Coordinates of all heavy atoms in Angstrom, one line a residue:
M1 N 91.5 101.9 118.1 CA 90.3 101.2 117.8 C 90.4 99.8 118.3 O 91.5 99.1 118.2 CB 90.1 101.1 116.3 CG 88.7 100.8 115.9 SD 88.5 101.3 114.1 CE 88.0 99.7 113.4
A2 N 89.4 99.2 119.0 CA 89.5 98.0 119.7 C 89.9 96.8 118.7 O 90.7 96.0 119.1 CB 88.2 97.7 120.4
T3 N 89.3 96.8 117.5 CA 89.6 95.8 116.6 C 91.1 95.7 116.2 O 91.7 94.7 116.2 CB 88.8 96.0 115.3 OG1 87.4 96.0 115.6 CG2 89.0 94.8 114.3
E4 N 91.7 96.9 116.0 CA 93.1 97.0 115.7 C 93.9 96.5 116.8 O 94.9 95.8 116.6 CB 93.5 98.4 115.3 CG 92.9 98.8 114.0 CD 93.2 100.3 113.7 OE1 93.9 100.9 114.5 OE2 92.8 100.7 112.6
R5 N 93.6 96.8 118.1 CA 94.3 96.4 119.2 C 94.3 94.9 119.3 O 95.3 94.3 119.6 CB 93.8 97.0 120.5 CG 94.7 96.9 121.7 CD 94.2 97.7 122.9 NE 94.1 99.1 122.6 CZ 93.0 99.8 122.9 NH1 92.1 99.3 123.6 NH2 93.0 101.1 122.6
W6 N 93.2 94.3 119.1 CA 93.1 92.8 119.1 C 93.9 92.2 118.0 O 94.7 91.3 118.1 CB 91.6 92.4 119.0 CG 91.5 90.9 118.9 CD1 91.5 90.0 120.0 CD2 91.5 90.1 117.7 NE1 91.5 88.7 119.5 CE2 91.4 88.7 118.2 CE3 91.5 90.3 116.4 CZ2 91.4 87.7 117.2 CZ3 91.5 89.3 115.5 CH2 91.4 88.0 115.9
E7 N 93.7 92.8 116.8 CA 94.4 92.2 115.6 C 95.9 92.3 115.7 O 96.6 91.4 115.2 CB 93.9 93.0 114.4 CG 94.4 92.3 113.1 CD 93.7 92.9 111.9 OE1 93.0 93.9 112.0 OE2 94.0 92.4 110.8
Y8 N 96.4 93.4 116.2 CA 97.9 93.5 116.2 C 98.5 93.3 117.6 O 99.7 93.6 117.8 CB 98.3 94.9 115.6 CG 97.7 95.0 114.2 CD1 96.8 96.0 113.9 CD2 98.2 94.2 113.2 CE1 96.3 96.1 112.6 CE2 97.7 94.3 111.9 CZ 96.7 95.2 111.6 OH 96.2 95.3 110.4
G9 N 97.7 92.9 118.6 CA 98.2 92.7 119.9 C 99.4 91.8 120.0 O 100.3 91.9 120.9
W10 N 99.4 90.8 119.1 CA 100.5 89.8 119.1 C 101.9 90.5 119.0 O 102.9 89.9 119.4 CB 100.3 88.8 118.0 CG 100.2 89.3 116.6 CD1 99.1 89.7 115.9 CD2 101.3 89.6 115.7 NE1 99.4 90.2 114.7 CE2 100.8 90.1 114.5 CE3 102.7 89.4 115.8 CZ2 101.6 90.5 113.5 CZ3 103.5 89.8 114.8 CH2 103.0 90.3 113.6
Q11 N 101.9 91.6 118.3 CA 103.2 92.2 118.1 C 103.9 92.7 119.4 O 105.1 92.7 119.4 CB 103.0 93.5 117.1 CG 102.6 93.0 115.8 CD 102.4 94.2 114.8 OE1 102.3 95.3 115.2 NE2 102.3 93.9 113.5
W12 N 103.1 92.9 120.4 CA 103.7 93.2 121.7 C 104.5 92.1 122.3 O 105.4 92.3 123.1 CB 102.6 93.7 122.7 CG 102.1 95.0 122.3 CD1 100.9 95.2 121.6 CD2 102.6 96.3 122.5 NE1 100.7 96.5 121.4 CE2 101.7 97.2 122.0 CE3 103.7 96.7 123.2 CZ2 101.9 98.6 122.0 CZ3 104.0 98.1 123.3 CH2 103.1 99.0 122.7
R13 N 104.2 90.9 121.9 CA 104.9 89.7 122.4 C 105.9 89.1 121.5 O 106.4 88.0 121.6 CB 103.8 88.6 122.8 CG 102.9 89.1 123.9 CD 102.0 88.0 124.3 NE 101.0 87.6 123.3 CZ 100.8 86.3 122.9 NH1 101.5 85.4 123.4 NH2 99.9 86.1 122.0
A14 N 106.2 89.9 120.4 CA 107.2 89.4 119.4 C 108.6 89.3 120.0 O 109.1 90.2 120.7 CB 107.2 90.4 118.2
A15 N 109.3 88.2 119.7 CA 110.7 88.0 120.2 C 111.6 89.0 119.5 O 112.6 89.4 120.1 CB 111.1 86.6 119.8
C16 N 111.2 89.6 118.4 CA 112.1 90.5 117.7 C 111.8 92.0 118.1 O 112.5 92.9 117.7 CB 111.9 90.4 116.2 SG 110.2 90.6 115.6
R17 N 110.8 92.1 119.0 CA 110.4 93.5 119.4 C 111.6 94.2 120.1 O 112.2 93.6 121.0 CB 109.2 93.4 120.3 CG 108.7 94.7 120.8 CD 107.4 94.6 121.6 NE 107.1 95.8 122.3 CZ 106.6 96.9 121.7 NH1 106.3 96.9 120.4 NH2 106.3 97.9 122.4
G18 N 112.0 95.3 119.6 CA 113.1 96.1 120.2 C 114.5 95.6 119.8 O 115.5 96.2 120.2
E19 N 114.5 94.5 119.0 CA 115.8 94.0 118.5 C 116.2 94.7 117.2 O 115.4 95.3 116.5 CB 115.7 92.5 118.3 CG 115.4 91.7 119.6 CD 116.5 91.7 120.6 OE1 117.7 91.7 120.1 OE2 116.2 91.6 121.8
D20 N 117.5 94.5 116.9 CA 118.0 95.0 115.6 C 117.2 94.2 114.5 O 117.2 93.0 114.4 CB 119.5 94.7 115.6 CG 120.1 95.1 114.2 OD1 119.4 95.7 113.4 OD2 121.3 94.7 114.0
S21 N 116.6 95.0 113.6 CA 115.8 94.4 112.5 C 116.7 94.0 111.3 O 116.1 93.6 110.3 CB 114.7 95.3 112.1 OG 115.2 96.5 111.6
S22 N 118.0 94.3 111.3 CA 118.8 94.1 110.1 C 118.8 92.6 109.6 O 119.1 92.4 108.5 CB 120.2 94.6 110.3 OG 120.8 93.9 111.3
A23 N 118.5 91.7 110.5 CA 118.5 90.3 110.1 C 117.2 90.0 109.3 O 117.2 89.0 108.5 CB 118.7 89.4 111.3
F24 N 116.2 90.7 109.5 CA 114.9 90.4 109.0 C 114.6 91.0 107.6 O 113.8 90.5 106.9 CB 113.8 90.9 110.0 CG 113.8 90.1 111.2 CD1 114.6 90.4 112.3 CD2 113.0 89.0 111.4 CE1 114.6 89.7 113.5 CE2 113.0 88.2 112.5 CZ 113.8 88.6 113.6
F25 N 115.4 92.0 107.3 CA 115.1 92.7 106.0 C 116.4 92.9 105.2 O 117.5 93.0 105.8 CB 114.5 94.1 106.3 CG 113.1 94.0 106.9 CD1 113.0 94.2 108.3 CD2 112.0 93.7 106.2 CE1 111.8 94.0 108.9 CE2 110.8 93.5 106.7 CZ 110.6 93.7 108.1
P26 N 116.3 92.9 103.9 CA 117.5 93.0 103.1 C 118.2 94.3 103.3 O 117.5 95.3 103.6 CB 117.0 92.9 101.6 CG 115.5 92.5 101.7 CD 115.1 92.8 103.1
P27 N 119.5 94.4 103.2 CA 120.2 95.6 103.4 C 120.0 96.5 102.2 O 119.5 96.1 101.1 CB 121.7 95.2 103.4 CG 121.7 93.9 102.7 CD 120.4 93.2 102.9
S28 N 120.4 97.8 102.3 CA 120.3 98.7 101.2 C 121.3 98.4 100.0 O 121.1 98.9 98.9 CB 120.4 100.2 101.7 OG 121.6 100.3 102.3
H29 N 122.3 97.7 100.3 CA 123.3 97.4 99.3 C 123.0 96.0 98.7 O 122.2 95.2 99.4 CB 124.7 97.4 99.9 CG 124.9 96.3 100.9 ND1 124.7 96.5 102.3 CD2 125.3 95.0 100.8 CE1 125.0 95.4 102.9 NE2 125.4 94.5 102.1
P30 N 123.5 95.7 97.5 CA 123.2 94.4 97.0 C 123.8 93.3 97.9 O 124.8 93.4 98.5 CB 124.0 94.4 95.6 CG 124.2 95.8 95.3 CD 124.3 96.6 96.6
E31 N 123.0 92.2 98.0 CA 123.3 91.1 99.0 C 123.6 89.9 98.2 O 122.7 89.5 97.4 CB 122.1 91.0 99.9 CG 122.2 90.0 101.0 CD 120.9 89.9 101.8 OE1 119.8 89.9 101.2 OE2 121.1 89.8 103.0
D32 N 124.7 89.3 98.4 CA 125.0 88.0 97.7 C 124.3 86.8 98.4 O 123.7 87.0 99.5 CB 126.5 87.7 97.5 CG 127.2 87.4 98.8 OD1 126.6 86.8 99.7 OD2 128.4 87.8 98.9
R33 N 124.3 85.7 97.7 CA 123.5 84.6 98.1 C 123.9 84.1 99.6 O 123.0 83.8 100.4 CB 123.7 83.4 97.1 CG 122.8 82.2 97.4 CD 122.9 81.2 96.4 NE 122.4 81.7 95.1 CZ 122.2 81.1 94.0 NH1 122.6 79.8 94.0 NH2 121.8 81.6 92.9
E34 N 125.2 84.1 99.8 CA 125.7 83.6 101.1 C 125.3 84.6 102.2 O 124.9 84.2 103.3 CB 127.2 83.4 101.1 CG 127.7 82.7 102.3 CD 127.0 81.4 102.7 OE1 126.7 80.6 101.8 OE2 126.8 81.2 103.9
E35 N 125.4 85.9 101.9 CA 125.1 86.9 102.9 C 123.6 86.8 103.2 O 123.2 86.9 104.4 CB 125.4 88.3 102.3 CG 125.3 89.4 103.3 CD 125.7 90.7 102.6 OE1 126.0 90.8 101.4 OE2 125.6 91.8 103.3
K36 N 122.8 86.6 102.2 CA 121.3 86.5 102.4 C 121.0 85.3 103.2 O 120.2 85.3 104.2 CB 120.6 86.4 101.0 CG 119.1 86.2 101.1 CD 118.5 86.2 99.7 CE 117.1 85.8 99.6 NZ 116.2 86.8 100.2
R37 N 121.6 84.2 102.9 CA 121.4 82.9 103.7 C 121.7 83.1 105.1 O 121.0 82.7 106.0 CB 122.2 81.8 103.0 CG 121.8 80.4 103.6 CD 122.6 79.2 103.0 NE 123.5 79.5 102.0 CZ 123.4 79.2 100.7 NH1 122.4 78.6 100.3 NH2 124.4 79.5 99.9
E38 N 122.9 83.7 105.4 CA 123.3 83.9 106.8 C 122.3 84.9 107.5 O 122.0 84.7 108.7 CB 124.7 84.4 106.9 CG 125.2 84.8 108.2 CD 125.1 83.7 109.3 OE1 125.0 82.5 108.9 OE2 125.0 84.0 110.5
R39 N 121.9 85.9 106.9 CA 121.0 86.9 107.5 C 119.7 86.2 107.8 O 119.2 86.4 108.9 CB 120.8 88.1 106.5 CG 119.8 89.1 107.0 CD 119.6 90.3 106.0 NE 119.2 89.9 104.7 CZ 117.9 89.5 104.4 NH1 117.0 89.5 105.4 NH2 117.6 89.1 103.2
E40 N 119.2 85.5 106.8 CA 117.9 84.8 107.1 C 118.0 83.7 108.2 O 117.0 83.5 108.9 CB 117.3 84.3 105.8 CG 116.9 85.4 104.8 CD 116.3 84.9 103.5 OE1 116.4 83.7 103.2 OE2 115.7 85.7 102.8
R41 N 119.2 83.1 108.2 CA 119.3 82.1 109.3 C 119.2 82.8 110.7 O 118.6 82.2 111.6 CB 120.7 81.4 109.1 CG 120.9 80.3 110.1 CD 122.4 79.9 110.3 NE 123.2 81.0 110.8 CZ 123.2 81.4 112.1 NH1 122.4 80.8 112.9 NH2 123.9 82.4 112.5
R42 N 119.8 83.9 110.8 CA 119.8 84.6 112.1 C 118.3 85.0 112.4 O 117.9 84.9 113.5 CB 120.7 85.9 112.1 CG 122.2 85.5 112.2 CD 123.1 86.7 112.3 NE 123.2 87.5 111.1 CZ 122.8 88.7 110.9 NH1 122.3 89.4 111.9 NH2 122.9 89.3 109.7
A43 N 117.6 85.5 111.4 CA 116.2 85.9 111.6 C 115.4 84.7 112.0 O 114.6 84.8 113.0 CB 115.7 86.6 110.4
K44 N 115.5 83.7 111.3 CA 114.7 82.5 111.5 C 115.0 81.9 112.9 O 114.1 81.2 113.5 CB 114.9 81.5 110.4 CG 114.3 81.9 109.1 CD 114.6 80.9 108.0 CE 113.9 81.4 106.7 NZ 114.2 80.4 105.6
A45 N 116.2 82.0 113.4 CA 116.6 81.5 114.7 C 115.7 82.2 115.8 O 115.3 81.6 116.7 CB 118.0 81.6 115.0
M46 N 115.5 83.5 115.6 CA 114.7 84.3 116.5 C 113.2 83.9 116.3 O 112.5 83.7 117.3 CB 114.9 85.8 116.3 CG 114.2 86.6 117.4 SD 114.7 88.3 117.4 CE 116.4 88.2 117.9
C47 N 112.8 83.7 115.1 CA 111.4 83.3 114.9 C 111.1 81.9 115.5 O 110.0 81.7 116.0 CB 111.1 83.2 113.4 SG 111.2 84.8 112.5
A48 N 112.1 81.1 115.5 CA 111.9 79.7 116.0 C 111.5 79.7 117.5 O 110.9 78.8 118.0 CB 113.1 78.9 115.8
I49 N 111.9 80.7 118.2 CA 111.6 80.8 119.7 C 110.5 81.8 120.0 O 110.3 82.1 121.2 CB 112.9 81.1 120.5 CG1 113.5 82.4 120.1 CG2 113.9 80.0 120.4 CD1 114.4 83.0 121.1
C50 N 109.9 82.3 119.0 CA 108.9 83.4 119.1 C 107.5 82.8 119.5 O 107.1 81.9 118.8 CB 108.9 84.2 117.9 SG 107.7 85.6 118.0
A51 N 106.9 83.3 120.5 CA 105.6 82.9 120.9 C 104.5 83.2 120.0 O 103.4 82.6 120.0 CB 105.3 83.4 122.3
V52 N 104.7 84.2 119.1 CA 103.6 84.6 118.2 C 103.9 84.4 116.8 O 103.4 85.0 115.9 CB 103.3 86.1 118.5 CG1 102.8 86.3 119.9 CG2 104.6 87.0 118.2
R53 N 104.7 83.4 116.5 CA 105.1 83.0 115.2 C 104.0 82.8 114.2 O 103.9 83.3 113.1 CB 106.0 81.8 115.2 CG 106.6 81.4 113.8 CD 107.5 80.2 113.9 NE 107.9 79.8 112.6 CZ 108.7 78.8 112.4 NH1 109.3 78.2 113.4 NH2 109.0 78.5 111.1
A54 N 103.0 82.1 114.7 CA 101.8 81.7 113.8 C 101.1 83.0 113.5 O 100.7 83.2 112.3 CB 100.9 80.7 114.5
D55 N 100.9 83.9 114.5 CA 100.1 85.1 114.2 C 100.9 86.0 113.2 O 100.4 86.6 112.3 CB 100.0 85.9 115.5 CG 99.1 85.2 116.5 OD1 97.9 84.9 116.1 OD2 99.5 84.9 117.6
C56 N 102.2 86.1 113.4 CA 103.1 86.9 112.5 C 103.0 86.4 111.1 O 102.9 87.1 110.2 CB 104.5 86.8 113.1 SG 105.7 87.7 112.1
L57 N 103.1 85.1 111.0 CA 103.1 84.5 109.6 C 101.8 84.7 108.9 O 101.7 85.2 107.8 CB 103.4 83.0 109.7 CG 103.3 82.3 108.3 CD1 104.3 82.9 107.3 CD2 103.6 80.8 108.5
E58 N 100.7 84.6 109.6 CA 99.3 84.8 109.0 C 99.2 86.3 108.6 O 98.6 86.6 107.6 CB 98.2 84.4 110.0 CG 98.0 82.9 109.9 CD 97.8 82.3 108.5 OE1 97.0 82.9 107.7 OE2 98.4 81.3 108.2
Y59 N 99.7 87.2 109.5 CA 99.6 88.6 109.2 C 100.4 88.9 107.9 O 99.9 89.5 107.0 CB 100.2 89.4 110.3 CG 100.4 90.8 110.0 CD1 99.4 91.8 110.0 CD2 101.7 91.3 109.5 CE1 99.6 93.1 109.7 CE2 101.9 92.6 109.2 CZ 100.8 93.5 109.2 OH 101.0 94.8 108.9
A60 N 101.6 88.3 107.8 CA 102.4 88.6 106.6 C 101.8 88.0 105.3 O 101.8 88.6 104.3 CB 103.8 88.0 106.8
L61 N 101.2 86.8 105.5 CA 100.5 86.2 104.3 C 99.3 87.0 103.9 O 99.0 87.3 102.7 CB 100.1 84.8 104.7 CG 101.2 83.8 104.9 CD1 100.7 82.5 105.4 CD2 102.0 83.5 103.6
R62 N 98.5 87.4 104.9 CA 97.3 88.2 104.6 C 97.5 89.5 104.0 O 96.8 90.0 103.1 CB 96.5 88.3 105.9 CG 95.1 88.9 105.7 CD 94.2 88.6 106.9 NE 94.9 88.6 108.2 CZ 95.1 89.8 108.9 NH1 94.8 90.9 108.5 NH2 95.8 89.7 110.1
T63 N 98.6 90.2 104.4 CA 98.9 91.5 103.9 C 99.9 91.5 102.8 O 100.2 92.5 102.2 CB 99.5 92.4 105.1 OG1 100.7 91.8 105.5 CG2 98.5 92.6 106.2
R64 N 100.2 90.2 102.4 CA 101.2 90.1 101.2 C 102.4 90.9 101.5 O 102.9 91.6 100.6 CB 100.5 90.5 99.9 CG 99.2 89.8 99.6 CD 99.4 88.3 99.3 NE 98.3 87.7 98.6 CZ 97.3 87.0 99.3 NH1 97.3 87.0 100.6 NH2 96.4 86.5 98.6
E65 N 103.0 90.8 102.6 CA 104.3 91.5 102.9 C 105.3 91.1 101.9 O 105.6 89.9 101.7 CB 104.8 91.1 104.3 CG 104.1 91.8 105.4 CD 104.5 93.3 105.6 OE1 105.5 93.7 105.0 OE2 103.7 94.0 106.2
P66 N 105.8 92.0 101.1 CA 106.7 91.7 100.0 C 108.2 91.4 100.4 O 108.9 90.8 99.6 CB 106.6 92.9 99.1 CG 106.3 94.0 100.0 CD 105.5 93.5 101.2
Y67 N 108.6 91.9 101.6 CA 110.0 91.7 101.9 C 110.2 91.2 103.3 O 109.3 91.4 104.2 CB 110.7 93.1 101.9 CG 110.6 93.8 100.6 CD1 109.8 95.0 100.5 CD2 111.2 93.4 99.5 CE1 109.6 95.6 99.3 CE2 111.1 94.0 98.3 CZ 110.3 95.1 98.2 OH 110.2 95.8 97.0
G68 N 111.3 90.5 103.5 CA 111.7 90.2 104.9 C 111.3 88.8 105.4 O 110.5 88.1 104.7
V69 N 111.8 88.5 106.5 CA 111.4 87.2 107.2 C 110.3 87.6 108.2 O 110.5 88.4 109.0 CB 112.6 86.6 107.9 CG1 112.2 85.4 108.8 CG2 113.7 86.2 107.0
W70 N 109.2 86.9 108.0 CA 108.1 87.0 108.9 C 107.6 85.6 109.3 O 107.4 84.8 108.4 CB 106.9 87.8 108.2 CG 107.2 89.2 107.9 CD1 108.0 89.7 106.9 CD2 106.6 90.3 108.6 NE1 107.9 91.1 106.9 CE2 107.1 91.5 107.9 CE3 105.7 90.5 109.6 CZ2 106.7 92.8 108.3 CZ3 105.3 91.8 110.0 CH2 105.9 92.9 109.4
G71 N 107.3 85.4 110.5 CA 106.8 84.1 111.0 C 107.8 83.0 110.6 O 107.3 81.9 110.4
G72 N 109.0 83.3 110.5 CA 110.0 82.2 110.2 C 110.1 81.9 108.7 O 110.9 81.0 108.3
L73 N 109.4 82.6 107.8 CA 109.6 82.4 106.4 C 110.0 83.6 105.6 O 109.6 84.7 105.9 CB 108.2 81.9 105.8 CG 107.6 80.6 106.3 CD1 106.3 80.3 105.6 CD2 108.6 79.5 106.3
S74 N 110.9 83.4 104.6 CA 111.3 84.5 103.8 C 110.2 84.8 102.8 O 109.2 84.1 102.7 CB 112.5 84.0 103.0 OG 112.2 83.0 102.0
E75 N 110.4 85.9 102.1 CA 109.4 86.3 101.1 C 109.1 85.2 100.0 O 108.0 85.0 99.7 CB 109.8 87.6 100.4 CG 111.1 87.7 99.7 CD 112.3 88.1 100.7 OE1 112.1 88.1 101.9 OE2 113.3 88.5 100.1
L76 N 110.2 84.5 99.6 CA 110.0 83.5 98.6 C 109.2 82.3 99.2 O 108.4 81.7 98.5 CB 111.4 83.0 98.1 CG 112.1 84.0 97.2 CD1 113.5 83.4 96.9 CD2 111.4 84.4 96.0
E77 N 109.5 82.0 100.5 CA 108.8 80.9 101.1 C 107.3 81.2 101.3 O 106.5 80.4 101.2 CB 109.5 80.5 102.4 CG 110.9 79.9 102.2 CD 111.8 79.9 103.5 OE1 111.5 80.8 104.4 OE2 112.7 79.1 103.5
R78 N 107.1 82.5 101.7 CA 105.7 82.9 101.8 C 104.9 82.9 100.5 O 103.8 82.5 100.5 CB 105.6 84.3 102.5 CG 106.1 84.3 103.9 CD 105.6 85.6 104.6 NE 106.0 86.8 103.9 CZ 107.2 87.4 104.0 NH1 108.2 86.9 104.8 NH2 107.5 88.5 103.3
R79 N 105.6 83.2 99.5 CA 104.9 83.2 98.1 C 104.6 81.7 97.8 O 103.5 81.5 97.2 CB 105.8 83.7 97.1 CG 105.7 85.2 96.9 CD 106.5 85.8 95.8 NE 107.3 86.9 96.2 CZ 108.5 87.2 95.8 NH1 109.0 86.6 94.7 NH2 109.1 88.2 96.3
A80 N 105.4 80.8 98.2 CA 105.1 79.4 97.9 C 103.9 78.9 98.7 O 103.1 78.2 98.2 CB 106.4 78.5 98.3
V81 N 103.8 79.4 100.0 CA 102.7 79.0 100.8 C 101.4 79.6 100.2 O 100.4 78.9 100.1 CB 102.8 79.6 102.2 CG1 101.5 79.5 103.0 CG2 104.0 78.9 103.0
L82 N 101.5 80.8 99.7 CA 100.3 81.4 99.1 C 99.9 80.7 97.8 O 98.7 80.5 97.5 CB 100.5 82.9 98.8 CG 100.6 83.8 100.1 CD1 101.1 85.2 99.7 CD2 99.2 83.9 100.7
R83 N 100.9 80.3 97.0 CA 100.6 79.5 95.8 C 99.9 78.2 96.2 O 99.0 77.8 95.5 CB 101.8 79.3 95.0 CG 102.2 80.4 94.1 CD 103.3 80.0 93.1 NE 104.5 79.4 93.7 CZ 105.5 80.1 94.1 NH1 105.5 81.4 94.0 NH2 106.6 79.5 94.6
G84 N 100.4 77.6 97.2 CA 99.9 76.3 97.7 C 98.4 76.5 98.1 O 97.6 75.6 97.8
R85 N 98.2 77.5 98.8 CA 96.8 77.8 99.3 C 95.9 78.1 98.1 O 94.7 77.6 98.1 CB 96.7 79.0 100.2 CG 97.3 78.7 101.6 CD 97.2 79.8 102.5 NE 97.7 79.5 103.9 CZ 97.7 80.3 104.9 NH1 97.2 81.6 104.7 NH2 98.2 80.0 106.0
A86 N 96.4 78.8 97.1 CA 95.6 79.1 95.9 C 95.3 77.8 95.2 O 94.1 77.6 94.7 CB 96.3 80.1 95.0
D87 N 96.3 76.9 95.1 CA 96.1 75.6 94.4 C 95.0 74.8 95.1 O 94.2 74.2 94.5 CB 97.4 74.8 94.3 CG 98.4 75.5 93.4 OD1 97.9 76.4 92.6 OD2 99.5 75.1 93.4
E88 N 95.1 74.8 96.5 CA 94.1 74.0 97.3 C 92.7 74.6 97.1 O 91.7 73.8 97.1 CB 94.5 74.1 98.8 CG 95.6 73.2 99.1 CD 96.0 73.4 100.6 OE1 95.2 73.9 101.4 OE2 97.2 73.0 100.9
A89 N 92.6 75.9 97.0 CA 91.3 76.5 96.8 C 90.7 76.2 95.5 O 89.5 76.3 95.3 CB 91.4 78.0 97.0
G90 N 91.5 75.9 94.5 CA 91.0 75.6 93.2 C 90.7 76.8 92.4 O 90.9 77.9 92.8
P91 N 90.2 76.6 91.2 CA 89.9 77.8 90.3 C 88.8 78.6 90.9 O 87.9 78.1 91.5 CB 89.5 77.1 89.0 CG 89.2 75.7 89.3 CD 90.0 75.4 90.5
A92 N 88.9 79.9 90.6 CA 87.9 80.8 91.1 C 86.5 80.5 90.5 O 86.5 80.2 89.3 CB 88.3 82.3 90.9
A93 N 85.5 80.7 91.2 CA 84.1 80.4 90.7 C 83.7 81.4 89.8 O 84.1 82.5 89.8 CB 83.1 80.2 91.8
Ligands
SF4_1 S1 107.9 85.2 114.2 FE1 109.9 86.3 113.8 S2 109.4 88.1 112.6 FE2 107.5 87.4 113.6 S3 107.3 88.5 115.5 FE3 108.3 86.6 116.0 S4 110.5 87.0 115.8 FE4 109.5 88.7 114.8

């Protein structure tokens, strides 16, 4: 569908495309704080040079991606952005 191609076309230009995704998502085993910090540092280094970072981040925010590093932000950082946006929008009418 044309709309989908436009909406997700940015993914073709992702720096992480075809790369090992293990830095972007938590492992299946329990991860300690230092391991998580190092994993996310590696993911964010790739995001920092990615041409479609803004598109990726907006996609993750819009779809409420619950896990992983998207657009240079971890799940906790994205939740903070969403809370900030909700605060800016004020109470629902
Ligand atoms: S911003 Fe990061 S997670 Fe998103 S497409 Fe680029 S490299 Fe991948």
Side-chain angles (χ1 to χ4, degrees):
M1 201 163 121
T3 303
E4 289 176 359
R5 194 172 302 136
W6 176 84
E7 188 172 5
Y8 302 114
W10 60 267
Q11 294 180 345
W12 291 96
R13 297 187 292 127
C16 59
R17 183 173 166 75
E19 298 290 330
D20 178 9
S21 64
S22 63
F24 292 86
F25 296 99
S28 55
H29 65 271
E31 183 179 42
D32 68 31
R33 186 175 296 184
E34 187 52 40
E35 189 180 1
K36 177 179 171 67
R37 188 179 1 249
E38 174 55 22
R39 177 180 58 75
E40 290 183 347
R41 185 199 62 75
R42 287 187 286 119
K44 289 176 179 183
M46 190 170 292
C47 295
I49 59 162
C50 183
V52 294
R53 181 177 174 176
D55 295 301
C56 177
L57 178 57
E58 278 310 310
Y59 169 82
L61 292 170
R62 186 161 37 84
T63 59
R64 306 291 197 268
E65 281 287 343
Y67 303 111
V69 172
W70 292 74
L73 298 185
S74 69
E75 56 269 19
L76 292 177
E77 293 164 336
R78 291 194 308 277
R79 274 185 232 151
V81 170
L82 289 170
R83 276 195 304 274
R85 286 183 178 181
D87 289 347
E88 285 175 16

